[in-house]
Amino acid sequence: MYRAFFPDETGLADKVLPNLDEPYVSRLPEGMTLGDISDLHVVFGALGRAAANDMEGRMLEAGIIPAMATDFKNFTHGRHVFLDKHPQSTLLMLISPRDEKFVAKMMKLIPEERPVITIRTEREDILGALQLMISTFYLSIDIAAPHGINPKKPGAPKWGGKLWSLKLDCYQPKK
């Protein structure tokens, strides 16, 4: 899509691929690993909606862990209550430069013992949104591995294929 609007752009891979040495940063309590995460609250700001929705779907559809996506402000309206009551419930923050001030204020209020994973982009354009999404791919692989799940081939049950083939008659055009 980006190439459609910017056909003369060069070096796209270098601009989109995140730092592969550290595509995300985790702040987990001592002794907690990515495999211990019970559920994931994916919060996003200016550029993270697509990555958040994709990560939520990937976690659920591969059967890894429950996940829920919400924007930063909606998270402040009560989504944080669940985190407080479930110690291994983890906050994944997808952050762009426009979000930094708000996130800094949030992080001052979130207790140190709360598990938090951050993914940042320094870009402020659509390529930043792509960077966030690509980084979530790496994180999902690292969360899935301790569960013995391959997010690319999670092993859907046979009855799942039958669900896929169901037709909603109410949405079929009348002949």
Side-chain angles (χ1 to χ4, degrees), residues 1-91:
M1 179 70 104
Y2 186 82
R3 286 208 186 279
F5 291 104
F6 303 99
D8 299 329
E9 187 81 35
T10 60
L12 191 57
D14 293 332
K15 294 175 184 172
V16 172
L17 287 176
N19 176 357
L20 299 181
D21 292 331
E22 196 171 68
Y24 59 88
V25 175
S26 59
R27 183 189 85 187
L28 302 177
E30 188 175 336
M32 184 177 175
T33 68
L34 293 176
D36 296 324
I37 295 171
S38 61
D39 54 274
L40 202 57
H41 296 263
V42 187
V43 293
F44 60 90
L47 296 177
R49 180 179 299 274
N53 289 341
D54 186 66
M55 183 67 165
E56 175 186 52
R58 190 175 323 114
M59 291 288 103
L60 292 168
E61 291 174 13
I64 302 167
I65 56 173
M68 178 177 54
T70 188
D71 63 80
F72 284 124
K73 190 57 187 164
N74 196 28
F75 178 78
T76 69
H77 287 288
R79 304 283 172 106
H80 58 281
V81 172
F82 191 89
L83 285 173
D84 186 58
K85 299 188 184 316
H86 301 271
Q88 294 179 313
S89 186
T90 301
L91 184 60

Side-chain angles (χ1 to χ4, degrees), residues 158-172:
K158 289 184 181 187
W159 56 269
K162 294 176 183 175
L163 286 173
W164 177 256
S165 64
L166 290 176
K167 303 283 186 245
L168 288 172
D169 294 337
C170 62
Y171 294 108
Q172 301 299 319

